Amino acid sequence: QVQLVESGGGLAQPGGSLRLSCVVSGSIFSPNDMGWYRQAPGKERELVAVINSGGSIKYVDSVKGRFAISRGSAQNTVYLQMNSLKPEDTAVYYCNLKRFGTSIGWGKGTLVTVSS
């Protein structure tokens, strides 16, 4: 059983930056995908970015060029560097671990608020 714990959310001004971290504890097997999702009030949860154990990365179009996902050297940590933040980036951000398309675990989420 794995546990995922996010940190790094908070309040940022438009144009500002935040860095989210997610630490996964428990047994992690490769190959796997580690991703960040977000859910804004009244909206469905959406995939923001995903990185697999081989290093391949995908982003949702709305964050391309602004956000960067990366993994720590120990492969049990995933980061999301968020730059040029916009009010529409406001959401609860969740960390997710998948293997072969099946979710292994979710974090409880961290709130990101972008407002002046």
Side-chain angles (χ1 to χ4, degrees), residues 34-36 38 46-52 55-71 78-83 93:
M34 295 185 75
W36 288 96
R38 66 186 179 187
E46 66 168 349
L47 175 65
V48 175
V50 62
I51 181 169
N52 67 21
S56 295
I57 292 172
K58 293 181 181 178
Y59 297 100
V60 67
D61 285 347
S62 60
V63 308
K64 285 180 180 177
R66 301 189 297 120
F67 290 10
I69 190 171
S70 60
R71 295 181 74 147
V78 63
Y79 304 99
L80 186 67
Q81 178 66 43
M82 305 186 295
N83 300 324
Y93 284 71

Side-chain angles (χ1 to χ4, degrees), residues 64-102:
K64 285 180 180 177
R66 301 189 297 120
F67 290 10
I69 190 171
S70 60
R71 295 181 74 147
S73 57
Q75 293 288 304
N76 70 329
T77 305
V78 63
Y79 304 99
L80 186 67
Q81 178 66 43
M82 305 186 295
N83 300 324
S84 301
L85 283 162
K86 303 176 180 179
E88 51 263 43
D89 295 319
T90 295
V92 178
Y93 284 71
Y94 298 92
C95 180
N96 173 256
L97 175 65
K98 280 190 172 71
R99 288 201 76 213
F100 304 114
T102 299

